[in-house]
Amino acid sequence: PNEHFSRIGMVKLVLLSLLFIILAGVPNEVGGGKVKSKKGKAKASGSACQGLVQAELGSYDRLLQRAAELSQTRELDAAQACLDTALDLSTNAHAKAHVIFNLAVIARQRGDVEGAKKILLQAPKEGMRGWAQANMFLGILQMESGESREALASLSRAKSLSPEDPAIYRDMAQGYYNLGEAPMAVHVWKEGVVNMPSNSEGFFNLGLL
């Protein structure tokens, strides 16, 4: 069962990095995803972003999209430059939280678990409160840091926001299993079967335990 549950790591990281594309559509102001920047302020330090950020107009959405593309090709410095600029252009808590989430993903791609966790914890609480993926990512980072109890709290918040996501149940069960609390892992998957009756993974894992 432990071997089956060990899904955190690079597979999960790749899936999280794909969220870049989805997150690029988060509104940065009422009525649209583009904001005007102060002249001379929106300048990316990476050459890959130079053509995207103009003196008079910077596109928050396009910067996130470009960061996603660069992240996929492991051009992490350039991706971070785009995100740093997008952070300057963020005009509300949700937009800022999404940029910080992506900066944390970049840090994790570099292998810096503690750095990624520290970055993510700087996100505005308002922007994190109702976001299942961000709470799940925080739980993963806490799990990787050996903070199983804290990870379970984060994953529990994620589950309450997205009760039909099998990845959350998988990671929660792994957390309890790591703590030697197999009965709680069973309880997690029983709850998963109730909330995801059409998903065979819950039944499979419950059978394994």
Side-chain angles (χ1 to χ4, degrees):
N2 186 47
E3 190 173 304
H4 179 76
F5 284 140
S6 295
R7 307 286 184 154
I8 299 173
M10 291 312 298
V11 172
K12 180 62 67 62
L13 180 60
V14 169
L15 293 175
L16 283 166
S17 68
L18 291 176
L19 286 171
F20 268 119
I21 302 279
I22 300 170
L23 302 180
V26 177
N28 196 35
E29 63 177 0
V30 176
K34 294 184 178 180
V35 296
K36 289 187 177 180
S37 62
K38 294 181 180 179
K39 188 172 182 178
K41 180 181 179 181
K43 292 183 179 180
S45 58
S47 60
C49 288
Q50 290 290 350
L52 301 178
V53 186
Q54 306 298 326
E56 297 296 337
L57 180 66
S59 171
Y60 170 91
D61 284 353
R62 184 65 187 112
L63 285 164
L64 262 65
Q65 290 170 350
R66 184 58 179 145
E69 296 163 3
L70 294 165
S71 175
Q72 292 301 305
T73 57
R74 302 289 297 180
E75 297 176 72
L76 301 183
D77 289 341
Q80 183 169 338
C82 289
L83 293 171
D84 286 340
T85 303
L87 189 60
D88 287 339
L89 297 175
S90 301
T91 59
N92 59 57
H94 294 287
K96 185 175 182 179
H98 280 73
V99 176
I100 290 175
F101 174 93
N102 288 326
L103 285 167
V105 172
I106 291 288
R108 181 60 188 85
Q109 285 181 296
R110 296 183 191 276
D112 186 1
V113 174
E114 290 299 322
K117 185 174 63 176
K118 183 177 179 180
I119 290 169
L120 191 57
L121 287 171
Q122 293 174 0
K125 291 183 179 180
E126 180 185 348
M128 291 280 287
R129 192 174 296 120
W131 188 7
Q133 289 91 346
N135 282 283
M136 182 174 70
F137 186 30
L138 178 58
I140 291 169
L141 294 172
Q142 290 167 327
M143 192 92 69
E144 291 182 317
S145 298
E147 302 170 358
S148 294
R149 292 295 179 193
E150 292 83 352
L152 287 168
S154 298
L155 291 168
S156 180
R157 288 193 297 271
K159 178 167 65 69
S160 69
L161 295 165
S162 184
E164 297 183 1
D165 186 343
I168 298 173
Y169 294 92
R170 189 183 307 133
D171 294 338
M172 287 190 73
Q174 176 70 65
Y176 282 117
Y177 198 89
N178 289 347
L179 290 169
E181 299 179 14
M184 285 302 298
V186 172
H187 176 76
V188 167
W189 278 119
K190 283 183 177 179
E191 188 178 359
V193 166
V194 171
N195 290 329
M196 305 178 298
S198 62
N199 190 304
S200 61
E201 183 177 356
F203 292 97
F204 179 76
N205 283 292
L206 194 55
L208 283 179
L209 290 169

